[in-house]
Amino acid sequence: MTADIIDGIGHKQAAIDAAVRILKDGLPVALPTETVYGLAADATNPAAITRIYETKGRPRFNPLICHMADLTMAERHAEFDAISKKLAETFWPGPLTLILPLRQEGRRIHPLATAGLDTVGIRVPKGFSAELIAALDRPLAAPSANTSGKISPTSARHVADDLGEKLTLIIDGGAAPVGVESTILRVEGGVITLLRPGGLSVEDIEAATGLTVERREGPAAIIEAPGMLASHYAPGAAVRLNARHVEAGEALIRLGGVPIEGMEQAKAVFDLSPSGDLSEAAANLFDYLSQADATGAERIAVTAIPSQGLGEAINDRLVRAAAPRE
Ligand code: TXA
Ligand code: MG
């Protein structure tokens, strides 16, 4: 089996029709979201959800994000406290996932999607996926469309290279504009906790709510968002962080056009954003990591990245990419 790739921009309606057909058959479809490409399946169909775990090789204790068409649909499945509601109204559709208590009555999201938890991670994506969900009229469980532990895909090509042999359909929506996964928040007792930094910056969340976002570091964060295993987003090559020079055999990822000692001997040089813009850097991060990996370099050296704005998400992913492998 090799996946068909349909142009979701030029042939949007045909792409939606084809995706609806396959999803109703209980099969997953890879599709574009503004953050990264997702591997989507009907969140109410256990056989379809099982296919997601199998296709990714993902542990089943790791719950999936459920994507909704809009806030109204989300409220049918989860209970919103006032702060979560305000966050949803401000930032959806967009790169924000909220962990919310599942509604007990009328509940249709299958426990396989939530790994049996009494909470559900919900996000309303922008563009193609939201239109598809509205057409299907069911939530879509969708993790990133990559083999578990590998770099998340930001283009249809990335998905095809990794999972093309295991899928029937990939929708091509062009390069994912945000480039890192959604920010995951949980609100409890009036406190907002950051479970995963992502495409929505903490600064923007604090400005919209007037509240301070709590960060949960270390093992607690890993338990709360079980997918946050230490070694994640791993390219084949080793990754060396905060590099101030390049060693023989390394590829270099840098930022802002800053010259780096020894860079003339790098196997390849990638600049995440020549102007030093961290949103642009996030959009390029996974693509440049996989391109650097494809040079065959034994190690990828990455210069220090500032931690404000989307820099927090970039650094989170880089630390995981550099973590010791199992
Ligand atoms: O941008 C994104 O979020 C992308 C696109 C496709 O939407 N999706 C994505 O999904 O990154 P995934 O499965 O790779 O990451 C979801 C994370 C995992 O770390 C998982 O453990 C956590 O969300 N999660 C999901 N449901 C949860 C829940 N009920 N409680 C705690 N963590 C949850
Ligand atoms: Mg993922």
Side-chain angles (χ1 to χ4, degrees):
M1 175 164 69
T2 301
D4 282 335
I5 302 181
I6 301 186
D7 173 4
I9 303 169
H11 298 101
K12 187 166 78 179
Q13 196 53 49
I16 289 179
D17 294 344
V20 165
R21 237 180 0 254
I22 290 174
L23 292 165
K24 283 191 172 159
D25 278 348
L27 294 173
V29 172
L31 43 74
T33 86
E34 74 277 42
T35 56
V36 300
Y37 276 67
L39 183 61
D42 179 350
T44 67
N45 178 341
I49 301 163
T50 299
R51 296 255 191 177
I52 293 182
Y53 287 104
E54 283 170 1
T55 306
K56 283 180 60 80
R58 176 176 175 121
R60 291 180 198 215
F61 57 78
N62 187 0
L64 308 174
I65 293 176
C66 292
H67 296 67
M68 306 280 170
D70 51 31
L71 176 56
T72 308
M73 185 173 181
E75 286 185 299
R76 292 209 291 270
H77 296 277
E79 319 246 7
F80 283 73
D81 60 278
I83 297 169
S84 295
K85 178 118 183 214
K86 162 95 179 159
L87 288 165
E89 285 168 347
T90 310
F91 296 113
W92 283 352
L96 169 68
T97 296
L98 295 168
I99 306 298
L100 300 159
L102 266 171
R103 256 188 205 293
Q104 289 311 311
E105 77 277 11
R107 108 183 224 181
R108 295 183 56 220
I109 291 175
H110 196 274
L112 265 176
T114 55
L117 299 173
D118 54 9
T119 55
V120 57
I122 294 187
R123 171 164 116 75
V124 174
K126 267 195 191 124
F128 183 89
S129 333
E131 287 185 50
L132 172 62
I133 296 161
L136 186 72
D137 196 26
R138 284 180 212 171
L140 285 180
S144 49
N146 52 284
T147 302
S148 190
K150 298 285 181 217
I151 298 169
S152 292
T154 54
S155 70
R157 175 53 39 207
H158 291 164
V159 180
D161 288 348
D162 182 9
L163 298 177
E165 301 299 311
K166 297 180 176 171
L167 296 175
T168 25
L169 180 63
I170 299 170
I171 309 294
D172 187 349
V178 176
V180 289
E181 298 85 347
S182 58
T183 298
I184 305 183
L185 300 178
R186 175 147 197 199
V187 180
E188 273 176 304
V191 177
I192 307 176
T193 302
L194 178 69
L195 300 183
R196 176 177 76 181
L200 177 65
S201 73
V202 165
E203 288 91 331
D204 285 351
I205 297 160
E206 293 185 336
T209 57
L211 297 169
T212 302
V213 173
E214 302 295 323
R215 288 174 173 80
R216 196 168 294 185
E217 313 282 351
I222 292 168
I223 291 160
E224 187 93 28
M228 304 299 283
L229 306 172
S231 167
H232 213 73
Y233 308 97
V239 176
R240 183 167 70 86
L241 302 182
N242 301 317
R244 295 160 76 168
H245 67 281
V246 177
E247 291 172 14
E250 288 184 332
L252 172 68
I253 295 181
R254 64 174 175 157
L255 176 70
V258 180
I260 307 298
E261 194 191 317
M263 63 185 269
E264 63 292 336
Q265 62 175 336
K267 282 206 136 179
V269 177
F270 302 90
D271 195 328
L272 291 170
S273 167
S275 69
D277 178 302
L278 290 170
S279 298
E280 183 185 18
N284 288 326
L285 178 67
F286 292 146
D287 186 40
Y288 289 179
L289 273 173
S290 51
Q291 285 193 48
D293 207 15
T295 64
E298 64 192 63
R299 195 159 54 222
I300 303 168
V302 189
T303 61
I305 309 291
S307 64
Q308 76 268 20
L310 292 202
E312 182 169 8
I314 295 172
N315 282 316
D316 174 84
R317 304 308 186 268
L318 285 173
V319 166
R320 291 172 202 285
R325 314 286 160 80
E326 283 141 27

